[in-house]
Amino acid sequence: MGRVSERFPDFPWDTIAGVKARAVEHPGGIVDLSIGTPVDPTPEVAREALIGAADSPGYPTVFGPESLRQAAVDWLERRFEITGLRPSQVLPTVGSKELIAHLPMQLGLGPDDLVVIPELAYPTYEVGARYAGCEVLATDSMDVVGSRTPALIYLNSPANPHGQILGPDHLRAVVEFARERGALLVSDECYLEFAWEDTPWSVLHPDVCGGSFDGLLAVHSLSKRSNLAGYRDAFVTGDQAVVDELLAVRKHLGFMLPTPVQAAMAAALADDVHVTAQRQVYAARRADLRAALESAGFTVEHSEGALYLWATRGEPCRDTVAWLAERGILAAPGEFYGSAGAQHVRVAFTATDERVAAAVQRLTA
Amino acid sequence: MGRVSERFPDFPWDTIAGVKARAVEHPGGIVDLSIGTPVDPTPEVAREALIGAADSPGYPTVFGPESLRQAAVDWLERRFEITGLRPSQVLPTVGSKELIAHLPMQLGLGPDDLVVIPELAYPTYEVGARYAGCEVLATDSMDVVGSRTPALIYLNSPANPHGQILGPDHLRAVVEFARERGALLVSDECYLEFAWEDTPWSVLHPDVCGGSFDGLLAVHSLSKRSNLAGYRDAFVTGDQAVVDELLAVRKHLGFMLPTPVQAAMAAALADDVHVTAQRQVYAARRADLRAALESAGFTVEHSEGALYLWATRGEPCRDTVAWLAERGILAAPGEFYGSAGAQHVRVAFTATDERVAAAVQRLTA
């Protein structure tokens, strides 16, 4: 038997340990803009719900309480005009990474199946496909798919790493393509709350999906929306038959969210105030960092949404990462996300105001 | 592609919905002794640690902090005389069910591989094997394995469902057999804190493993030990190379424990006082229920350890389940755990004192 770990690329973050060590040596300390981990406090509303459910001796269910799933439905309708979704179409997941990593396997895909991922993409789309032994095609153009019949097509808007937002016409065209081919379209919408220069659309919006969720899944995470990366709180929703099958499989496989974490998720989904406040905080950091990068000679592309600036100095990305590390700033090499990112770096603006100010000062010095 | 859910048996608990409805109708209410879900409070020490880590905006790691893994090492040494284990050999898991369900797949096993499970067993051993397409052999006798070379052998002592405790000679013989065949031996030790009539042994005890962890994994859960089923807190430990591979795979697959849950696990592992108190509570419930079952004509077999009474009336188990349901008592059909359980029921003694007293009253009326 081959080792499963060999199916995957090197765990990418391990490959920047060297430049990270260099950044740490900066007399003003490292400004870590690489992973994009949230640093602002977990909102009170989520913490209180977690604390209120601290006495949880018994087994949770994989499906979770209907109140939790209803909170997801209500949020999607309130914020993104998604109508007609039922709580039975919502399945909580232990963060969105485990869902994406396991989706091809849990749907029974294998070596005969093709998974289409964006040309520049969150690495876990490919990890999940490789885990199941699927073929992977990285393209943003359905023309490149040609006459083939993919089993799964991933979309991600606003996109990691480059922040592009896809408009409703584009989304609608991919929905139609997927339905014609009988492919499952999975839309990773974990940055939907964070748009800066355009309006983001869910694939489940009636103007995109035509009022039917057939063949569609949307993946949502509270990690960024509610500073809950430490809680592992996400959900998948859409096509009832696919959700039913995932629930059946995941009950056997034991994907239960901790009860206190379920409570926090329901409470956080019911509140928009903390999201609005967090969005303003990120907008200010984004504006400052963007101006500083541009003044230092970087070109920022896309970045209409999500929590990253997609920046280039027209040189190999590892050189740019090293240049930044000499200034104590750690960014992610664009090549983590696909060969099209070979000359870009991804700069997260999730660090504290103090750390962002330090980066700005170093870039503009 | 075949549906993955079809690889698995019916989710067993769904098949007792009918008798459960009957038990619920009892004028004194249901006494649910089926799943064995803990009902006593989550210990203060775990709740305080969860609450103390409620502000957790950032991403946790799959490996978790060394302090958590050291707490596991210290507990195993303090309680079960396991010496020589290092924190690098401990991998936290989101409960033990997901680990067991995914272990064959994460180790790259497939249709050419044989997984040996106990004749009467927790169903997830087979689920995990079927998920990876492995052949399953249910036997307690290595003689039945014959000249074959299993990839994986499961042990579970104290055992679910029947509570049997395996002595060091038996464990040592299976360790030797597994090592001769090059099989990985996985010992599910999640009931090791609960022994009533015999001394339980870890497969990692030097008298069993000979001071080497090669080819051995032990799985531990805090669900029962610390009334933490709602937190999803467990770990696997043993052979360094296997733990390293699981860590590498599980980093890609996103098996992170929530940060507050990691904190609760470390705190709970450092405390034995709550476990001693809980053990006394269970011992009293066990004695009362056992006497009541015997007075009602049941024969109780094994049940030296774990949190169950393995009882029979010498009739098909579904008849016994129905007989109990008429008295408002819900038990698990023995056939959930293997055909050898066709005439047994598994009676958990994890219900409250009040509910156990109600069951005793109904059985002895």
Side-chain angles (χ1 to χ4, degrees), chain A residues 1-5 7-11 14 35-42 47 50-51 54-60 94 97-98 101-102 105-109 124 127 131 223-224 227-232 245 248-249 251-261, chain B residues 1-5 7-11 14 35-42 47 50-51 54-60 94 97-98 101-102 105-109 124 127 131 223-224 227-232 245 248-249 251-261:
Chain A
M1 72 203 197
R3 301 207 309 174
V4 173
S5 58
R7 288 184 217 164
F8 304 134
D10 288 341
F11 195 70
D14 293 346
I35 291 183
T37 204
V39 297
D40 300 303
T42 299
R47 280 189 274 163
L50 177 94
I51 291 166
D55 184 19
S56 290
Y59 290 96
V94 190
K97 181 170 180 170
E98 64 84 354
H102 289 94
M105 195 75 106
Q106 291 175 358
L107 294 176
L109 305 189
T124 305
V127 163
Y131 187 41
S223 293
K224 304 288 169 74
N227 293 329
L228 280 174
Y231 282 37
R232 315 311 302 140
E245 171 67 3
V249 170
K251 280 168 76 174
H252 280 289
L253 299 181
F255 282 98
M256 289 96 93
L257 270 70
T259 308
V261 157
Chain B
M1 74 202 195
R3 301 207 308 174
V4 172
S5 59
R7 287 183 217 166
F8 304 134
D10 289 341
F11 195 68
D14 292 346
I35 290 184
T37 203
V39 298
D40 300 303
T42 299
R47 281 189 273 162
L50 177 94
I51 291 166
D55 184 19
S56 290
Y59 290 96
V94 191
K97 181 169 180 170
E98 63 84 354
H102 289 95
M105 195 76 105
Q106 291 175 357
L107 293 176
L109 305 189
T124 305
V127 162
Y131 186 41
S223 293
K224 305 289 170 75
N227 294 328
L228 281 174
Y231 282 38
R232 317 310 304 139
E245 171 68 3
V249 170
K251 279 167 75 173
H252 281 289
L253 299 180
F255 282 98
M256 289 97 93
L257 270 69
T259 309
V261 158

Side-chain angles (χ1 to χ4, degrees), chain B:
Chain B
M1 74 202 195
R3 301 207 308 174
V4 172
S5 59
E6 288 166 5
R7 287 183 217 166
F8 304 134
D10 289 341
F11 195 68
W13 301 104
D14 292 346
T15 71
I16 58 168
V19 285
K20 181 171 183 176
R22 190 146 31 133
V24 166
E25 287 167 9
H26 191 280
I30 187 173
V31 181
D32 191 341
L33 309 177
S34 62
I35 290 184
T37 203
V39 298
D40 300 303
T42 299
E44 192 74 21
V45 63
R47 281 189 273 162
E48 279 174 6
L50 177 94
I51 291 166
D55 184 19
S56 290
Y59 290 96
T61 63
V62 170
F63 210 19
E66 174 147 327
S67 55
L68 164 60
R69 292 176 280 110
Q70 184 69 55
V73 167
D74 292 345
W75 169 64
L76 289 172
E77 178 159 6
R78 187 174 73 236
R79 285 282 299 127
F80 302 110
E81 303 173 350
I82 295 169
T83 52
L85 204 62
R86 296 184 301 273
S88 64
Q89 291 167 295
V90 174
L91 181 59
T93 67
V94 191
S96 61
K97 181 169 180 170
E98 63 84 354
L99 187 272
I100 289 168
H102 289 95
L103 192 61
M105 195 76 105
Q106 291 175 357
L107 293 176
L109 305 189
D112 295 335
D113 293 303
L114 175 66
V115 176
V116 177
I117 67 173
E119 193 174 358
L120 284 164
Y122 176 54
T124 305
Y125 307 139
E126 178 168 351
V127 162
R130 299 266 177 236
Y131 186 41
C134 301
E135 185 184 349
V136 177
L137 176 63
T139 181
D140 296 327
S141 164
M142 294 306 115
D143 291 344
V144 173
V145 179
S147 61
R148 303 189 60 186
T149 304
L152 210 62
I153 300 171
Y154 276 105
L155 283 180
N156 178 215
S157 168
N160 176 12
H162 53 298
Q164 186 177 18
I165 292 176
L166 301 175
D169 290 346
H170 184 121
L171 293 173
R172 206 159 32 229
V174 181
V175 168
E176 281 166 19
F177 177 86
R179 285 179 173 163
E180 278 168 22
R181 300 290 164 95
L184 180 66
L185 179 60
V186 182
S187 177
D188 179 355
E189 303 181 350
C190 70
Y191 298 102
L192 211 61
E193 292 271 23
F194 299 108
W196 317 106
E197 297 171 15
D198 205 344
T199 303
W201 292 73
S202 171
V203 77
L204 304 184
H205 190 287
D207 290 355
V208 173
C209 70
S212 160
F213 306 128
D214 287 356
L216 307 178
L217 289 182
V219 179
H220 288 275
S221 165
L222 281 80
S223 293
K224 305 289 170 75
R225 175 189 182 274
S226 300
N227 294 328
L228 281 174
Y231 282 38
R232 317 310 304 139
D233 259 341
F235 67 89
V236 60
T237 185
D239 188 311
Q240 184 74 66
V242 180
V243 170
D244 287 349
E245 171 68 3
L246 288 172
L247 172 60
V249 170
R250 292 165 62 91
K251 279 167 75 173
H252 281 289
L253 299 180
F255 282 98
M256 289 97 93
L257 270 69
T259 309
V261 158
Q262 290 185 359
M265 181 165 161
L269 283 170
D271 180 66
D272 296 318
V273 175
H274 72 278
V275 186
T276 303
Q278 186 65 45
R279 196 181 297 117
Q280 288 166 352
V281 167
Y282 283 141
R285 292 176 189 161
R286 176 179 180 276
D288 291 350
L289 263 178
R290 179 175 194 141
L293 284 167
E294 287 173 346
S295 82
F298 282 76
T299 302
V300 175
E301 296 175 1
H302 285 306
S303 310
E304 296 92 2
L307 298 175
Y308 314 104
L309 293 164
W310 185 241
T312 180
R313 304 205 315 157
E315 65 185 7
C317 63
R318 297 276 177 171
D319 294 349
T320 309
V321 168
W323 185 92
L324 287 166
E326 275 162 31
R327 286 150 185 82
I329 300 168
L330 192 66
E335 67 187 26
F336 279 11
Y337 308 95
S339 55
Q343 296 205 331
H344 289 73
V345 293
R346 194 194 73 168
V347 181
F349 42 87
T350 58
T352 62
D353 289 346
E354 186 275 331
R355 287 288 86 189
V356 168
V360 167
Q361 188 270 324
R362 293 175 200 176
L363 287 167
T364 55

